[in-house]
Amino acid sequence: MLEKISHKRRFFIVILLLVLLFLAVYKKTYQPIFQLKKELNASYQLVENVTQPFAKIESLKNELSVLDKVVGNSENHALIQQKILDFITTHALHVSVVNIADSHMYKGNNAFTILTNKIILTGNYETLLNTIYTIEKEFKASKIVSAKFYSKKNYSTNKTELLLELYFQNYGK
């Protein structure tokens, strides 16, 4: 039967068989490989998305520690007033402490504690201003949240005194 077919037709039949063989090999071998490659790329993207939340958590922890440094450390609340007084006396700020109020503690519903301390100082304007500046720059245990200058007449000496009312706050867990 092959003897009756011309060489030209035999050539086209061989080409047709080669194309069919190539398509069969592609379908059986290469198509699953390409599909597995797509699945592998999809799984790489999933793994990349899974590692991002851990990186986000780590960056949030770093951000929280930076905010703790800015706002104030959550140290032992009983010692904060003592640390404030020690700082004022050891830095020779030339001011006098008039009054120290009891600490006020507020505990929010999300277990975040705010401790507020009030201290009243007296002195001249320059020393009081220098005191605020020094405390803001160097005192790390608590932060000043409010400063109020006012004058009050001392009737025993019949002089007007300049007073500085400072509020310190600490935040903790």
mmCIF file of all heavy atoms in Angstrom, residues 15-53:
data_model
loop_
_atom_site.group_PDB
_atom_site.id
_atom_site.type_symbol
_atom_site.label_atom_id
_atom_site.label_comp_id
_atom_site.label_asym_id
_atom_site.label_seq_id
_atom_site.Cartn_x
_atom_site.Cartn_y
_atom_site.Cartn_z
ATOM 1 N N ILE A 15 5.335 14.217 8.096
ATOM 2 C CA ILE A 15 5.241 15.513 8.785
ATOM 3 C C ILE A 15 4.006 15.534 9.686
ATOM 4 O O ILE A 15 4.073 15.985 10.839
ATOM 5 C CB ILE A 15 5.194 16.668 7.773
ATOM 6 C CG1 ILE A 15 6.460 16.694 6.969
ATOM 7 C CG2 ILE A 15 4.870 17.984 8.446
ATOM 8 C CD1 ILE A 15 7.459 17.740 7.336
ATOM 9 N N LEU A 16 2.884 15.054 9.187
ATOM 10 C CA LEU A 16 1.649 15.015 9.962
ATOM 11 C C LEU A 16 1.824 14.114 11.191
ATOM 12 O O LEU A 16 1.386 14.458 12.295
ATOM 13 C CB LEU A 16 0.493 14.531 9.085
ATOM 14 C CG LEU A 16 -0.873 14.487 9.773
ATOM 15 C CD1 LEU A 16 -1.328 15.892 10.135
ATOM 16 C CD2 LEU A 16 -1.878 13.788 8.893
ATOM 17 N N LEU A 17 2.476 12.972 11.026
ATOM 18 C CA LEU A 17 2.722 12.081 12.166
ATOM 19 C C LEU A 17 3.660 12.733 13.186
ATOM 20 O O LEU A 17 3.475 12.575 14.402
ATOM 21 C CB LEU A 17 3.294 10.748 11.687
ATOM 22 C CG LEU A 17 2.302 9.799 11.000
ATOM 23 C CD1 LEU A 17 3.034 8.573 10.449
ATOM 24 C CD2 LEU A 17 1.230 9.375 11.958
ATOM 25 N N LEU A 18 4.661 13.439 12.708
ATOM 26 C CA LEU A 18 5.570 14.149 13.635
ATOM 27 C C LEU A 18 4.830 15.229 14.432
ATOM 28 O O LEU A 18 5.049 15.384 15.633
ATOM 29 C CB LEU A 18 6.733 14.758 12.868
ATOM 30 C CG LEU A 18 7.840 13.796 12.458
ATOM 31 C CD1 LEU A 18 8.879 14.519 11.608
ATOM 32 C CD2 LEU A 18 8.489 13.198 13.673
ATOM 33 N N VAL A 19 3.950 15.966 13.777
ATOM 34 C CA VAL A 19 3.176 16.995 14.477
ATOM 35 C C VAL A 19 2.264 16.349 15.508
ATOM 36 O O VAL A 19 2.156 16.830 16.648
ATOM 37 C CB VAL A 19 2.388 17.866 13.465
ATOM 38 C CG1 VAL A 19 1.365 18.742 14.163
ATOM 39 C CG2 VAL A 19 3.327 18.694 12.625
ATOM 40 N N LEU A 20 1.596 15.251 15.117
ATOM 41 C CA LEU A 20 0.724 14.560 16.070
ATOM 42 C C LEU A 20 1.533 13.992 17.245
ATOM 43 O O LEU A 20 1.095 14.050 18.403
ATOM 44 C CB LEU A 20 -0.055 13.443 15.368
ATOM 45 C CG LEU A 20 -1.179 13.895 14.425
ATOM 46 C CD1 LEU A 20 -1.774 12.684 13.717
ATOM 47 C CD2 LEU A 20 -2.259 14.616 15.197
ATOM 48 N N LEU A 21 2.706 13.455 16.947
ATOM 49 C CA LEU A 21 3.570 12.938 18.002
ATOM 50 C C LEU A 21 4.039 14.065 18.932
ATOM 51 O O LEU A 21 4.048 13.912 20.159
ATOM 52 C CB LEU A 21 4.772 12.215 17.379
ATOM 53 C CG LEU A 21 5.724 11.525 18.353
ATOM 54 C CD1 LEU A 21 5.013 10.401 19.082
ATOM 55 C CD2 LEU A 21 6.947 11.011 17.615
ATOM 56 N N PHE A 22 4.395 15.191 18.340
ATOM 57 C CA PHE A 22 4.798 16.352 19.150
ATOM 58 C C PHE A 22 3.660 16.823 20.047
ATOM 59 O O PHE A 22 3.867 17.116 21.231
ATOM 60 C CB PHE A 22 5.270 17.485 18.225
ATOM 61 C CG PHE A 22 5.623 18.733 18.962
ATOM 62 C CD1 PHE A 22 6.798 18.824 19.690
ATOM 63 C CD2 PHE A 22 4.754 19.825 18.969
ATOM 64 C CE1 PHE A 22 7.120 19.965 20.388
ATOM 65 C CE2 PHE A 22 5.069 20.973 19.670
ATOM 66 C CZ PHE A 22 6.254 21.045 20.379
ATOM 67 N N LEU A 23 2.449 16.913 19.535
ATOM 68 C CA LEU A 23 1.293 17.321 20.350
ATOM 69 C C LEU A 23 1.024 16.321 21.476
ATOM 70 O O LEU A 23 0.683 16.711 22.595
ATOM 71 C CB LEU A 23 0.058 17.488 19.463
ATOM 72 C CG LEU A 23 0.065 18.699 18.526
ATOM 73 C CD1 LEU A 23 -1.162 18.684 17.636
ATOM 74 C CD2 LEU A 23 0.120 19.997 19.318
ATOM 75 N N ALA A 24 1.180 15.043 21.195
ATOM 76 C CA ALA A 24 0.958 14.029 22.226
ATOM 77 C C ALA A 24 2.009 14.142 23.330
ATOM 78 O O ALA A 24 1.686 14.049 24.530
ATOM 79 C CB ALA A 24 0.973 12.642 21.594
ATOM 80 N N VAL A 25 3.264 14.333 22.930
ATOM 81 C CA VAL A 25 4.332 14.488 23.924
ATOM 82 C C VAL A 25 4.117 15.754 24.741
ATOM 83 O O VAL A 25 4.297 15.769 25.962
ATOM 84 C CB VAL A 25 5.716 14.483 23.230
ATOM 85 C CG1 VAL A 25 6.809 14.949 24.175
ATOM 86 C CG2 VAL A 25 6.027 13.108 22.691
ATOM 87 N N TYR A 26 3.724 16.846 24.080
ATOM 88 C CA TYR A 26 3.466 18.108 24.799
ATOM 89 C C TYR A 26 2.348 17.912 25.819
ATOM 90 O O TYR A 26 2.475 18.349 26.959
ATOM 91 C CB TYR A 26 3.096 19.206 23.797
ATOM 92 C CG TYR A 26 2.708 20.498 24.458
ATOM 93 C CD1 TYR A 26 3.679 21.364 24.946
ATOM 94 C CD2 TYR A 26 1.376 20.849 24.640
ATOM 95 C CE1 TYR A 26 3.337 22.540 25.573
ATOM 96 C CE2 TYR A 26 1.022 22.019 25.268
ATOM 97 C CZ TYR A 26 2.002 22.861 25.738
ATOM 98 O OH TYR A 26 1.661 24.022 26.363
ATOM 99 N N LYS A 27 1.274 17.269 25.380
ATOM 100 C CA LYS A 27 0.132 17.095 26.276
ATOM 101 C C LYS A 27 0.488 16.193 27.459
ATOM 102 O O LYS A 27 0.056 16.443 28.575
ATOM 103 C CB LYS A 27 -1.053 16.516 25.509
ATOM 104 C CG LYS A 27 -2.296 16.416 26.340
ATOM 105 C CD LYS A 27 -3.505 16.209 25.486
ATOM 106 C CE LYS A 27 -4.708 16.008 26.331
ATOM 107 N NZ LYS A 27 -5.643 17.049 26.337
ATOM 108 N N LYS A 28 1.279 15.140 27.234
ATOM 109 C CA LYS A 28 1.607 14.206 28.306
ATOM 110 C C LYS A 28 2.743 14.703 29.202
ATOM 111 O O LYS A 28 2.760 14.409 30.386
ATOM 112 C CB LYS A 28 2.005 12.851 27.715
ATOM 113 C CG LYS A 28 0.855 12.035 27.236
ATOM 114 C CD LYS A 28 0.036 11.597 28.414
ATOM 115 C CE LYS A 28 -0.962 10.541 28.003
ATOM 116 N NZ LYS A 28 -1.780 10.137 29.092
ATOM 117 N N THR A 29 3.697 15.469 28.669
ATOM 118 C CA THR A 29 4.890 15.806 29.435
ATOM 119 C C THR A 29 4.943 17.276 29.829
ATOM 120 O O THR A 29 5.051 17.610 31.005
ATOM 121 C CB THR A 29 6.155 15.447 28.617
ATOM 122 O OG1 THR A 29 6.061 14.093 28.207
ATOM 123 C CG2 THR A 29 7.397 15.646 29.459
ATOM 124 N N TYR A 30 4.879 18.142 28.870
ATOM 125 C CA TYR A 30 5.153 19.555 29.145
ATOM 126 C C TYR A 30 3.976 20.307 29.761
ATOM 127 O O TYR A 30 4.178 21.206 30.572
ATOM 128 C CB TYR A 30 5.610 20.261 27.858
ATOM 129 C CG TYR A 30 6.952 19.763 27.385
ATOM 130 C CD1 TYR A 30 7.064 18.981 26.239
ATOM 131 C CD2 TYR A 30 8.090 20.049 28.104
ATOM 132 C CE1 TYR A 30 8.283 18.510 25.825
ATOM 133 C CE2 TYR A 30 9.327 19.581 27.697
ATOM 134 C CZ TYR A 30 9.418 18.813 26.554
ATOM 135 O OH TYR A 30 10.631 18.350 26.157
ATOM 136 N N GLN A 31 2.777 19.968 29.404
ATOM 137 C CA GLN A 31 1.623 20.668 29.971
ATOM 138 C C GLN A 31 1.551 20.507 31.494
ATOM 139 O O GLN A 31 1.348 21.496 32.201
ATOM 140 C CB GLN A 31 0.337 20.184 29.287
ATOM 141 C CG GLN A 31 -0.859 21.070 29.593
ATOM 142 C CD GLN A 31 -2.099 20.630 28.822
ATOM 143 O OE1 GLN A 31 -2.166 19.519 28.317
ATOM 144 N NE2 GLN A 31 -3.071 21.519 28.750
ATOM 145 N N PRO A 32 1.743 19.308 32.069
ATOM 146 C CA PRO A 32 1.750 19.200 33.542
ATOM 147 C C PRO A 32 2.905 19.962 34.184
ATOM 148 O O PRO A 32 2.753 20.505 35.285
ATOM 149 C CB PRO A 32 1.870 17.697 33.797
ATOM 150 C CG PRO A 32 1.408 17.036 32.569
ATOM 151 C CD PRO A 32 1.728 17.967 31.449
ATOM 152 N N ILE A 33 4.037 20.022 33.485
ATOM 153 C CA ILE A 33 5.175 20.774 34.033
ATOM 154 C C ILE A 33 4.828 22.254 34.143
ATOM 155 O O ILE A 33 5.097 22.895 35.170
ATOM 156 C CB ILE A 33 6.435 20.542 33.170
ATOM 157 C CG1 ILE A 33 6.941 19.120 33.354
ATOM 158 C CG2 ILE A 33 7.524 21.548 33.539
ATOM 159 C CD1 ILE A 33 8.081 18.753 32.431
ATOM 160 N N PHE A 34 4.225 22.811 33.102
ATOM 161 C CA PHE A 34 3.848 24.229 33.136
ATOM 162 C C PHE A 34 2.780 24.497 34.202
ATOM 163 O O PHE A 34 2.806 25.525 34.879
ATOM 164 C CB PHE A 34 3.365 24.696 31.768
ATOM 165 C CG PHE A 34 4.453 24.712 30.726
ATOM 166 C CD1 PHE A 34 4.218 24.222 29.452
ATOM 167 C CD2 PHE A 34 5.713 25.208 31.018
ATOM 168 C CE1 PHE A 34 5.214 24.231 28.493
ATOM 169 C CE2 PHE A 34 6.718 25.232 30.067
ATOM 170 C CZ PHE A 34 6.466 24.729 28.794
ATOM 171 N N GLN A 35 1.851 23.562 34.365
ATOM 172 C CA GLN A 35 0.826 23.728 35.398
ATOM 173 C C GLN A 35 1.445 23.669 36.798
ATOM 174 O O GLN A 35 1.086 24.454 37.682
ATOM 175 C CB GLN A 35 -0.246 22.658 35.236
ATOM 176 C CG GLN A 35 -1.451 22.893 36.121
ATOM 177 C CD GLN A 35 -2.575 21.915 35.811
ATOM 178 O OE1 GLN A 35 -2.447 21.045 34.958
ATOM 179 N NE2 GLN A 35 -3.674 22.078 36.535
ATOM 180 N N LEU A 36 2.397 22.765 37.016
ATOM 181 C CA LEU A 36 3.079 22.684 38.311
ATOM 182 C C LEU A 36 3.898 23.941 38.585
ATOM 183 O O LEU A 36 3.996 24.394 39.728
ATOM 184 C CB LEU A 36 3.970 21.446 38.366
ATOM 185 C CG LEU A 36 3.248 20.107 38.492
ATOM 186 C CD1 LEU A 36 4.231 18.954 38.369
ATOM 187 C CD2 LEU A 36 2.482 20.030 39.797
ATOM 188 N N LYS A 37 4.471 24.507 37.544
ATOM 189 C CA LYS A 37 5.235 25.758 37.697
ATOM 190 C C LYS A 37 4.305 26.893 38.144
ATOM 191 O O LYS A 37 4.670 27.697 39.010
ATOM 192 C CB LYS A 37 5.928 26.096 36.366
ATOM 193 C CG LYS A 37 6.728 27.347 36.399
ATOM 194 C CD LYS A 37 7.921 27.228 37.317
ATOM 195 C CE LYS A 37 8.766 28.480 37.220
ATOM 196 N NZ LYS A 37 9.748 28.567 38.255
ATOM 197 N N LYS A 38 3.093 26.964 37.586
ATOM 198 C CA LYS A 38 2.115 27.979 38.010
ATOM 199 C C LYS A 38 1.735 27.793 39.480
ATOM 200 O O LYS A 38 1.644 28.753 40.247
ATOM 201 C CB LYS A 38 0.859 27.913 37.137
ATOM 202 C CG LYS A 38 1.009 28.518 35.781
ATOM 203 C CD LYS A 38 -0.311 28.449 35.030
ATOM 204 C CE LYS A 38 -0.162 28.946 33.606
ATOM 205 N NZ LYS A 38 -1.416 28.822 32.843
ATOM 206 N N GLU A 39 1.525 26.539 39.887
ATOM 207 C CA GLU A 39 1.178 26.263 41.280
ATOM 208 C C GLU A 39 2.327 26.622 42.219
ATOM 209 O O GLU A 39 2.102 27.134 43.319
ATOM 210 C CB GLU A 39 0.806 24.789 41.448
ATOM 211 C CG GLU A 39 -0.510 24.402 40.826
ATOM 212 C CD GLU A 39 -0.829 22.925 40.979
ATOM 213 O OE1 GLU A 39 -0.186 22.260 41.821
ATOM 214 O OE2 GLU A 39 -1.718 22.450 40.255
ATOM 215 N N LEU A 40 3.537 26.365 41.782
ATOM 216 C CA LEU A 40 4.704 26.707 42.587
ATOM 217 C C LEU A 40 4.812 28.221 42.774
ATOM 218 O O LEU A 40 5.076 28.703 43.882
ATOM 219 C CB LEU A 40 5.974 26.160 41.932
ATOM 220 C CG LEU A 40 7.271 26.349 42.708
ATOM 221 C CD1 LEU A 40 7.228 25.594 44.019
ATOM 222 C CD2 LEU A 40 8.455 25.903 41.867
ATOM 223 N N ASN A 41 4.588 28.972 41.716
ATOM 224 C CA ASN A 41 4.606 30.441 41.827
ATOM 225 C C ASN A 41 3.501 30.936 42.757
ATOM 226 O O ASN A 41 3.711 31.859 43.544
ATOM 227 C CB ASN A 41 4.474 31.081 40.444
ATOM 228 C CG ASN A 41 5.722 30.903 39.605
ATOM 229 O OD1 ASN A 41 6.796 30.672 40.130
ATOM 230 N ND2 ASN A 41 5.564 31.000 38.291
ATOM 231 N N ALA A 42 2.326 30.332 42.674
ATOM 232 C CA ALA A 42 1.226 30.720 43.564
ATOM 233 C C ALA A 42 1.577 30.411 45.020
ATOM 234 O O ALA A 42 1.281 31.207 45.927
ATOM 235 C CB ALA A 42 -0.051 30.003 43.154
ATOM 236 N N SER A 43 2.230 29.277 45.266
ATOM 237 C CA SER A 43 2.599 28.949 46.650
ATOM 238 C C SER A 43 3.693 29.888 47.161
ATOM 239 O O SER A 43 3.708 30.239 48.338
ATOM 240 C CB SER A 43 3.047 27.494 46.753
ATOM 241 O OG SER A 43 4.230 27.289 46.017
ATOM 242 N N TYR A 44 4.611 30.326 46.288
ATOM 243 C CA TYR A 44 5.612 31.313 46.699
ATOM 244 C C TYR A 44 4.942 32.619 47.118
ATOM 245 O O TYR A 44 5.339 33.246 48.098
ATOM 246 C CB TYR A 44 6.611 31.592 45.574
ATOM 247 C CG TYR A 44 7.706 30.560 45.448
ATOM 248 C CD1 TYR A 44 8.183 30.196 44.198
ATOM 249 C CD2 TYR A 44 8.274 29.953 46.555
ATOM 250 C CE1 TYR A 44 9.189 29.256 44.047
ATOM 251 C CE2 TYR A 44 9.278 29.017 46.428
ATOM 252 C CZ TYR A 44 9.735 28.674 45.173
ATOM 253 O OH TYR A 44 10.722 27.745 45.047
ATOM 254 N N GLN A 45 3.916 33.026 46.386
ATOM 255 C CA GLN A 45 3.196 34.248 46.757
ATOM 256 C C GLN A 45 2.480 34.079 48.087
ATOM 257 O O GLN A 45 2.435 35.002 48.900
ATOM 258 C CB GLN A 45 2.202 34.622 45.663
ATOM 259 C CG GLN A 45 2.849 35.190 44.428
ATOM 260 C CD GLN A 45 1.841 35.542 43.351
ATOM 261 O OE1 GLN A 45 0.687 35.102 43.413
ATOM 262 N NE2 GLN A 45 2.277 36.321 42.379
ATOM 263 N N LEU A 46 1.919 32.896 48.330
ATOM 264 C CA LEU A 46 1.262 32.652 49.616
ATOM 265 C C LEU A 46 2.266 32.704 50.762
ATOM 266 O O LEU A 46 1.979 33.271 51.820
ATOM 267 C CB LEU A 46 0.548 31.302 49.602
ATOM 268 C CG LEU A 46 -0.738 31.218 48.796
ATOM 269 C CD1 LEU A 46 -1.257 29.791 48.782
ATOM 270 C CD2 LEU A 46 -1.786 32.152 49.355
ATOM 271 N N VAL A 47 3.422 32.129 50.568
ATOM 272 C CA VAL A 47 4.451 32.157 51.608
ATOM 273 C C VAL A 47 4.906 33.585 51.843
ATOM 274 O O VAL A 47 5.117 34.005 52.987
ATOM 275 C CB VAL A 47 5.642 31.248 51.205
ATOM 276 C CG1 VAL A 47 6.844 31.499 52.091
ATOM 277 C CG2 VAL A 47 5.224 29.796 51.269
ATOM 278 N N GLU A 48 5.031 34.357 50.789
ATOM 279 C CA GLU A 48 5.429 35.760 50.929
ATOM 280 C C GLU A 48 4.382 36.542 51.704
ATOM 281 O O GLU A 48 4.702 37.371 52.545
ATOM 282 C CB GLU A 48 5.625 36.365 49.537
ATOM 283 C CG GLU A 48 6.329 37.691 49.545
ATOM 284 C CD GLU A 48 6.618 38.149 48.127
ATOM 285 O OE1 GLU A 48 7.438 37.509 47.463
ATOM 286 O OE2 GLU A 48 6.010 39.141 47.710
ATOM 287 N N ASN A 49 3.107 36.256 51.445
ATOM 288 C CA ASN A 49 2.037 36.932 52.178
ATOM 289 C C ASN A 49 1.985 36.501 53.631
ATOM 290 O O ASN A 49 1.563 37.256 54.495
ATOM 291 C CB ASN A 49 0.693 36.676 51.504
ATOM 292 C CG ASN A 49 0.572 37.373 50.168
ATOM 293 O OD1 ASN A 49 1.284 38.339 49.905
ATOM 294 N ND2 ASN A 49 -0.303 36.877 49.320
ATOM 295 N N VAL A 50 2.387 35.277 53.933
ATOM 296 C CA VAL A 50 2.379 34.798 55.314
ATOM 297 C C VAL A 50 3.504 35.453 56.106
ATOM 298 O O VAL A 50 3.336 35.791 57.275
ATOM 299 C CB VAL A 50 2.490 33.256 55.344
ATOM 300 C CG1 VAL A 50 2.804 32.750 56.730
ATOM 301 C CG2 VAL A 50 1.206 32.633 54.847
ATOM 302 N N THR A 51 4.658 35.669 55.498
ATOM 303 C CA THR A 51 5.767 36.270 56.232
ATOM 304 C C THR A 51 5.562 37.759 56.459
ATOM 305 O O THR A 51 6.134 38.319 57.387
ATOM 306 C CB THR A 51 7.097 36.032 55.492
ATOM 307 O OG1 THR A 51 7.000 36.578 54.182
ATOM 308 C CG2 THR A 51 7.442 34.568 55.441
ATOM 309 N N GLN A 52 4.767 38.415 55.656
ATOM 310 C CA GLN A 52 4.544 39.846 55.840
ATOM 311 C C GLN A 52 3.870 40.178 57.167
ATOM 312 O O GLN A 52 4.263 41.138 57.811
ATOM 313 C CB GLN A 52 3.741 40.412 54.671
ATOM 314 C CG GLN A 52 4.559 40.588 53.412
ATOM 315 C CD GLN A 52 3.734 41.128 52.261
ATOM 316 O OE1 GLN A 52 2.525 41.220 52.351
ATOM 317 N NE2 GLN A 52 4.401 41.465 51.186
ATOM 318 N N PRO A 53 2.855 39.445 57.634
ATOM 319 C CA PRO A 53 2.286 39.782 58.942
ATOM 320 C C PRO A 53 3.297 39.692 60.083
ATOM 321 O O PRO A 53 3.260 40.502 61.003
ATOM 322 C CB PRO A 53 1.152 38.764 59.120
ATOM 323 C CG PRO A 53 0.744 38.418 57.744
ATOM 324 C CD PRO A 53 2.008 38.459 56.934
#
